[in-house]
Amino acid sequence: MPYETDKRMSSLQDVVDIVRGPSPGPGRSAYVKTKTLVYTVAFPKGVLAEDSFEEQTRKSLKTLDDRLEQAGTDKNSVLEATVFLKDISSKCEFDKAWQEWAPSHGISRAAIGGVDLGPFEVEMKITAAMPDVELFHGPSPGPGRTAWVKTEERVYTVAFPKGVKPGDSVEEQTRKSFKELDERLAQAGTDKGRITEATVYLNDFRSKGEFDKVWQEYIPEECGVSRAAIGGVDLGQFAVEMKITAALPDVPLVRGPSPGKGRSVYVSSGHLVNTVAFPKGVQPNDGVKEQTRKSLKELDERLALAGTDKSRLVEATVYLKDMSTKSEFDKVWQEWVPENCGVSRACIGKADMGPFAVEMKITAALPIPIKKRE
């Protein structure tokens, strides 16, 4: 490996401190922050049965403002957002409130519809920077949005099939998405060989084979990405959309073993580790509790390979096939997460993951940042 975490070069200044906000429930934190980044979730706190979608959005953005303030930052430093909507047809209402709220320079944002959020119509996964982190923003594709945002270490962007036509196959839409991604990464000063993590959203999970064919051609050899593929969502006119994080050229990277072409079991960059947890060795009769235990066992192993552990988790997006199984998932999660190590976590239902009932996209902090070998 060209880079490693070198403890001989570490000092007290190197240690990656984690600050966790108040706990809204066992195993969770309202926000988690490292020296430079804040992770949080926005939802319509105090939602009422009669609340319109627009009102739920405004309540969610108020929750977000409050959490960002508690963490010592604000909306001007938000880098990226994944917006989950119960009904994609409500996106116009969401956009109205978003555009009034968002800073003029915009945020890298994806909107994913057709999911189950329990009592909520909208929920958002958010990454923000601390105020002293310098940010650079790409061109705006629309009010409140930007093509990409970068810090001194990373680029956050979204890939979608620009110029999609009604007859385009998933393969064609994927190629158009990668063309758009290449252009955005180039504008931001990096390239596909530096992609660290991706969440791929497909409106039909059965099209994953078509997607994978193009993905495997696209990703350079030995540049496997930490990747989750989630089906059964509503992307409007698109069959595929991707949330992408890439490192800038001078940021050290370590890629773990490859579970398949174009993928890595983890990717570390700077002080962070990206990985995916799924129920390895799943059996047809495994319930959600058993699948969750298997997923967390796999996660423990991946984190250990990367040089960290579950006490260093900062954020998780949990995808469930059936939202009614969330209480079963929560029971195992709460037993597994160490005391006082609550994670910024969103739980998204009605996701199609093939044979799995649960899958998790995970970010953890390393004890000290990766350093380039001398």
Side-chain angles (χ1 to χ4, degrees), residues 86-89 111-115 202-203 232-238:
K86 189 164 282 190
D87 186 344
I88 198 71
S89 68
I112 311 300
V115 296
L202 302 166
N203 65 0
V233 298
D234 190 345
L235 305 170
Q237 61 182 317
F238 304 143

Side-chain angles (χ1 to χ4, degrees), residues 100-335:
E100 292 171 2
W101 174 86
S104 59
H105 51 63
I107 293 165
S108 174
R109 195 199 79 183
I112 311 300
V115 296
D116 188 348
L117 305 170
F120 306 143
E121 299 285 330
V122 59
E123 190 165 338
M124 291 171 261
K125 279 285 285 156
I126 301 290
T127 307
M130 294 303 289
D132 58 347
V133 175
E134 189 174 12
L135 305 183
F136 303 88
H137 297 84
S140 174
R145 294 183 293 130
T146 185
W148 49 265
V149 181
K150 72 173 177 177
T151 66
E152 62 180 12
E153 291 190 336
R154 293 176 187 83
V155 176
Y156 302 88
T157 192
V158 178
F160 62 95
K162 188 175 180 179
V164 67
K165 296 177 181 175
D168 283 347
S169 65
V170 169
E171 185 175 332
E172 182 58 31
Q173 288 205 31
T174 304
R175 293 189 191 283
K176 287 182 175 181
S177 297
F178 285 137
K179 182 175 184 297
E180 178 68 7
L181 178 56
D182 280 335
E183 291 173 1
R184 290 185 170 199
L185 293 175
Q187 287 175 3
T190 190
D191 61 45
K192 63 184 178 182
R194 307 290 296 170
I195 297 172
T196 56
E197 57 132 2
T199 305
V200 179
Y201 295 101
L202 302 166
N203 65 0
D204 187 342
F205 194 78
R206 293 172 298 179
S207 64
K208 183 174 174 288
E210 286 181 79
F211 173 85
D212 278 339
K213 178 185 173 184
V214 186
W215 173 273
Q216 291 164 11
E217 293 171 1
Y218 172 79
I219 297 295
E221 190 121 10
E222 299 184 355
C223 293
V225 177
S226 172
R227 194 199 79 182
I230 308 299
V233 298
D234 190 345
L235 305 170
Q237 61 182 317
F238 304 143
V240 60
E241 188 165 342
M242 291 170 267
K243 281 284 289 158
I244 300 288
T245 308
L248 288 167
D250 59 348
V251 175
L253 294 182
V254 174
R255 299 185 189 273
S258 174
K261 195 171 179 183
R263 295 182 291 129
S264 288
V265 297
Y266 72 84
V267 181
S268 301
S269 61
H271 69 287
L272 297 177
V273 178
N274 298 113
T275 191
V276 177
F278 64 94
K280 189 175 180 181
V282 67
Q283 300 296 316
N285 59 344
D286 283 348
V288 169
K289 281 187 183 178
E290 183 58 28
Q291 289 206 28
T292 303
R293 289 193 176 96
K294 287 182 175 180
S295 298
L296 295 173
K297 180 177 185 294
E298 176 69 6
L299 178 54
D300 279 331
E301 292 172 0
R302 290 185 172 202
L303 293 172
L305 273 176
T308 190
D309 61 47
K310 64 184 178 181
S311 71
R312 309 283 297 170
L313 258 61
V314 293
E315 66 94 21
T317 308
V318 178
Y319 296 96
L320 299 172
K321 186 161 283 190
D322 185 344
M323 194 65 165
S324 69
T325 63
K326 182 175 176 290
S327 59
E328 293 178 73
F329 171 86
D330 277 339
K331 182 178 179 184
V332 182
W333 174 268
Q334 291 163 14
E335 293 169 357

Side-chain angles (χ1 to χ4, degrees), residues 342-355:
V343 180
S344 173
R345 195 198 78 181
C347 216
I348 310 302
K350 206 175 168 185
D352 188 351
M353 298 157 289

Side-chain angles (χ1 to χ4, degrees), residues 352-368:
D352 188 351
M353 298 157 289
F356 305 145
V358 59
E359 189 165 338
M360 291 170 262
K361 199 80 178 65
I362 299 290
T363 306
L366 288 165
I368 59 172

Side-chain angles (χ1 to χ4, degrees), residues 84-106:
F84 296 101
L85 304 170
K86 189 164 282 190
D87 186 344
I88 198 71
S89 68
S90 61
K91 183 173 174 290
C92 289
E93 288 180 79
F94 173 85
D95 279 340
K96 180 183 175 184
W98 174 272
Q99 289 164 16
E100 292 171 2
W101 174 86
S104 59
H105 51 63

